[in-house]
């Protein structure tokens, strides 16, 4: 059956789409909702309704679903294709947080009980890559607050030790100058 171009507006599907967008926790989710289209395919509709029903059960249940941090990292990841360009620490931290959120959600559906209770969502989670090696590599260079660790690389470690030494030396020298200025009466004690 062929539907007119404005069919979604006539049946209120555009309003449902807007309502769904308000419940999205990231711009990626909003984008996916924008891409949604009305369907008349029975099997597709049935599968989507099952997924929705499963998620409503999760949200209304006593277990807490691991909703996390999702960032649109596509622009950041796209720029890394250019040789000599890398992610800054905030972008790496957001990547780590996004990957950890995905890992937690996939883990939520791993138990046999969850697979039985939520088969449609569990099948999606089962096929979702979680990239534990990337998380491990990021953990080796960033603190839990997203700052680069002093020992992230031997070069950085050396630079930070030298910087600390220089700052300590400057601080001692400044203290000596202040003491001398006080003893000569140029500065109040």
């Amino acid at each position: 059956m062929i539907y007119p171009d404005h069919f979604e507006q006539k049946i209120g599907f555009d309003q449902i789409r807007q309502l769904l967008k308000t419940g999205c926790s990231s711009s990626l989710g909003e984008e996916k909702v924008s891409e949604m289209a009305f369907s008349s395919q029975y099997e597709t509709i049935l599968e989507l309704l099952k997924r929705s029903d499963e998620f409503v059960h999760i949200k209304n249940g006593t277990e807490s679903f691991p909703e996390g941090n999702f960032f649109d990292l596509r622009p950041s990841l796209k720029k890394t294709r250019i040789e000599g360009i890398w992610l800054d620490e905030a972008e790496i931290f957001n990547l780590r947080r996004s990957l950890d959120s995905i890992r937690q959600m996939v883990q939520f559906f791993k138990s046999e009980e969850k697979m039985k209770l939520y088969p449609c969502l569990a099948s999606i989670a089962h096929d979702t890559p979680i990239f534990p090696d990337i998380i491990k590599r990021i953990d080796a260079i960033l603190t839990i607050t997203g700052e680069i660790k002093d020992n992230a690389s031997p070069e950085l470690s050396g630079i930070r030790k030298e910087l600390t030494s220089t700052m300590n030396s400057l601080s001692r020298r400044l203290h000596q100058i202040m003491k001398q200025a006080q003893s000569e009466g140029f500065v109040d004690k």
Side-chain angles (χ1 to χ4, degrees), residues 155-173:
E155 295 85 5
L156 181 60
S157 181
I159 290 168
R160 289 200 173 163
K161 283 179 185 173
E162 187 177 320
L163 183 61
T164 300
S165 174
T166 302
M167 293 298 286
N168 288 339
S169 176
L170 286 172
S171 180
R172 282 192 301 275
R173 182 65 183 131

Side-chain angles (χ1 to χ4, degrees), residues 127-171:
D127 296 331
T128 304
I130 56 172
F131 306 103
D133 293 337
I134 294 175
I135 293 173
K136 196 180 295 184
R137 295 276 311 259
I138 292 172
D139 287 346
I141 62 169
L142 292 183
T143 65
I144 59 169
T145 57
E147 297 158 348
I148 296 178
K149 292 179 178 179
D150 288 343
N151 62 349
S153 74
E155 295 85 5
L156 181 60
S157 181
I159 290 168
R160 289 200 173 163
K161 283 179 185 173
E162 187 177 320
L163 183 61
T164 300
S165 174
T166 302
M167 293 298 286
N168 288 339
S169 176
L170 286 172
S171 180

Side-chain angles (χ1 to χ4, degrees), residues 91-118:
E91 292 169 316
I92 294 170
F93 189 54
N94 288 340
L95 173 62
R96 197 254 183 255
R97 290 166 51 192
S98 292
L99 290 175
D100 191 51
S101 294
I102 293 167
R103 182 194 58 76
Q104 288 177 33
M105 287 181 182
V106 168
Q107 195 65 37
F108 180 86
F109 292 107
K110 284 241 177 190
S111 75
E112 205 164 307
E113 176 191 0
K114 299 284 187 342
M115 286 185 216
K116 288 178 184 175
L117 287 171
Y118 316 115

